[in-house]
Amino acid sequence: MQLTSLVALALAAPANALIRFSCSQLVVDRIDPLVTPGMAPSPHLHQIIGGNSINATMDPAKDMPGESTCTTCQFTEDTSNYWTAVLFFRARNGTFKRVPIRPNAGFDGAVGGMTVYYMQNGLADYQQRSKVTAFKPGFRMLIGDALARTEEEASKYRQVTYTCLQDMSTRYPETKSLPNKPCPAGIMANIRFPTCWDGTNLDTVDHMSHMAYPATGTFDSKGPCPDTHPVPVPQLMYETIWDTRAFNDPNEWPEDGSQPFVWSMGDHTGFASHGDYLFGWKGDALQRTMDTPCYVTCPTLTTQSIANQNKCTAERTIQEDIDSWLPEIPGGPTISKKYLLEARGTRSKGGL
Ligand SMILES: *[C@@H]1O[C@H](CO)[C@@H](O)[C@H](O)[C@H]1NC(C)=O
Ligand SMILES: *[C@@H]1O[C@H](CO)[C@@H](O)[C@H](O)[C@H]1NC(C)=O
C-alpha cells in the first residue's frame, strides 16, 4: 500500500462509534406500554423487538427492560424495547393480510424484526467525531403520530420516511407517504428520532417534548442543539423492511390507482408511521460503546448468533388472529374514508 493511502486511512479512523445491528421479532401484540400502559388490548397492533420482559404495563419505576432474561438483539447487553406499527395488505375483496418482514442485507436468517442504529453523526460520516451522551435507565420516547393522515401533520417528524426498494441496496429517494407503486424488493420504513435531550426528563406526558431537533440545520449537517434541549444524544434509527413481494401484482392493487398497504392503526397514507423506544442497555454498555472508535462492528459488545436472537420470544398478551386473511385489522381501526366508501359495495358488516 502507498504511504499516502496509509496516512489517509489513519486520518479517517473513527473517533467514536456508530453501531448498526439486527434485532429479530420478539412478539407481535396489541400492547403499547409507552402510550397506553396497562391497556390490553391497546388500540393497534405493534411489532416489538428487544428484551423479553415486555408487558402491557412496563412500570417506569421498575427498569423493566433490565429484568429481561434474553434479547432478540444481536448485542446481549441491549435489552431495550423498540416497536413500530404493523403493515397490512388490503386485497380487492376488502380483506387484510399482515405483511411479513425480511431481514436487511447482512442479517440473513433473522426472523422479522428491524435493523437498529445508534450514531453520533450521519451514517455516511465514517469518523463519527461528535460526542454524545447515552440515554439513561428509565429513558423513553416516541416519534411520529399514529393519528396523522396528512403531509402537514407528518411534517413535524422530519425523518420518518419510506424507501421503495428496487433491490436490497436502494437507499434513495425517501418519501413521507407510502410508495404509490410496487416496490420490487419491499418497502423500508425508516424511523429516526430527534437527537437533542433536555438533560432532565426521562420521559414526558407526550413522550416527545423532552426531545428536540437541532436548532439550525439537521442532525446530518451537525446542527447545534437548542438551549432548551442542550444535550446531544445518539441518533437512534430503525429500519424495517416490509416484504411486499407477494403483494406486488398490479391486478391485485386497487382499481383507482391508489396503493394497497395500510398500517395497523388504519392509515393508508403512510403519514402515521411511528416508533417507540424504552431504553434498556445494561450498565454503561451504551456509553462505553459510543465512546469507542469503531464503525458498525464494535468489539466492545457481546454478539450472539442470529439463531440465538431468534430463540428469544415473548408470549402474546392478546390472543387474536393476526395471520389469516382478515375481515378487519385487529382492533378494527377506522380505515381512511376512501376505503370506507369502496368497501361499502363489497362488504355487509355494520359500520362499513
Ligand atoms: C408486568 O411485569 C411486571 C414485572 O415483572 C409485573 O409486576 C406486572 O404485573 C406485569 N404487568 C402485566 C400487566 O402483566
Ligand atoms: C380475498 O383476496 C385474497 C387475495 O386475492 C384471497 O387470498 C382471499 O382468499 C380472498 N378472500 C375472500 C373471502 O374472498
Side-chain angles (χ1 to χ4, degrees):
M1 191 182 278
Q2 298 280 318
L3 183 61
T4 47
S5 20
L6 279 175
V7 170
L9 263 183
L11 284 176
N16 299 297
L18 176 151
I19 53 172
R20 170 188 189 264
F21 56 97
S22 148
C23 302
S24 309
Q25 173 180 308
L26 179 70
V27 67
V28 173
D29 203 354
R30 208 131 62 79
I31 59 172
D32 190 340
L34 185 62
V35 176
T36 52
M39 186 191 274
S42 64
H44 59 263
L45 203 59
H46 289 120
Q47 177 195 220
I48 303 169
I49 60 171
N52 68 340
S53 64
I54 189 86
N55 73 21
T57 306
M58 298 292 275
D59 182 352
K62 281 195 173 149
D63 181 27
M64 277 281 298
E67 293 182 11
S68 293
T69 55
C70 67
T71 173
T72 71
C73 295
Q74 191 176 340
F75 299 128
T76 56
E77 290 88 348
D78 183 13
T79 56
S80 304
N81 286 116
Y82 312 81
W83 65 88
T84 72
V86 170
L87 200 64
F88 284 85
F89 169 76
R90 181 182 174 278
R92 281 190 179 179
N93 63 19
T95 62
F96 297 90
K97 180 82 175 158
R98 188 158 63 93
V99 178
I101 289 172
R102 65 187 298 201
N104 220 327
F107 300 135
D108 292 332
V111 173
M114 312 177 200
T115 306
V116 177
Y117 296 75
Y118 289 80
M119 33 196 167
Q120 3 227 341
N121 292 120
L123 189 51
D125 184 346
Y126 177 69
Q127 296 195 36
Q128 299 289 309
R129 284 187 181 284
S130 297
K131 274 272 170 214
V132 293
T133 300
F135 308 107
K136 307 274 182 254
F139 182 89
R140 296 163 170 218
M141 64 179 165
L142 163 71
I143 194 68
D145 176 2
L147 299 176
R149 296 292 182 274
T150 65
E151 179 133 33
E152 195 189 353
E153 288 165 331
S155 64
K156 276 168 73 177
Y157 315 106
R158 299 181 183 176
Q159 296 170 298
V160 177
T161 64
Y162 303 92
T163 313
C164 182
L165 299 181
Q166 305 305 311
D167 58 49
M168 291 304 274
S169 62
T170 308
R171 290 298 178 268
Y172 305 98
E174 294 181 27
T175 57
K176 297 285 290 175
S177 54
L178 274 161
N180 57 10
K181 291 199 174 58
C183 301
I187 297 173
M188 187 158 82
N190 312 296
I191 295 183
R192 301 177 187 86
F193 288 81
T195 49
C196 302
W197 177 43
D198 71 10
T200 314
N201 294 296
L202 296 174
D203 195 4
T204 38
V205 174
D206 63 0
H207 313 293
M208 285 194 233
S209 42
H210 53 322
M211 298 296 294
Y213 291 108
T216 55
T218 62
F219 171 76
D220 289 283
S221 74
K222 301 192 174 77
C225 283
D227 294 342
T228 50
H229 295 75
V231 183
V233 294
Q235 169 145 84
L236 179 60
M237 172 163 99
Y238 309 165
E239 288 173 346
T240 313
I241 304 181
W242 297 97
D243 191 354
T244 55
R245 286 174 298 174
F247 309 107
N248 280 347
D249 178 355
N251 297 318
E252 305 258 348
W253 278 43
E255 277 149 322
D256 68 0
S258 63
Q259 67 81 35
F261 298 102
V262 189
W263 281 116
S264 47
M265 48 292 176
D267 168 45
H268 85 290
T269 63
F271 295 128
S273 180
H274 60 280
D276 297 65
Y277 177 58
L278 263 54
F279 172 86
W281 285 76
K282 290 182 184 151
D284 68 346
L286 182 59
Q287 187 70 62
R288 220 172 356 106
T289 302
M290 297 316 293
D291 293 343
T292 305
C294 58
Y295 186 82
V296 177
T297 313
C298 288
T300 28
L301 297 168
T302 312
T303 301
Q304 64 177 336
S305 67
I306 285 180
N308 272 347
Q309 271 168 229
N310 290 342
K311 280 186 210 148
C312 185
T313 57
E315 284 284 311
R316 274 165 62 196
T317 301
I318 305 304
Q319 300 299 329
E320 60 189 346
D321 187 2
I322 57 172
D323 296 318
S324 310
W325 286 93
L326 302 168
E328 63 178 11
I329 290 176
T334 305
I335 313 294
S336 57
K337 205 169 169 190
K338 189 197 283 179
Y339 281 169
L340 285 176
L341 291 172
E342 264 177 33
R344 261 191 204 121
T346 52
R347 295 178 48 192
S348 56
K349 193 171 168 288
L352 284 182

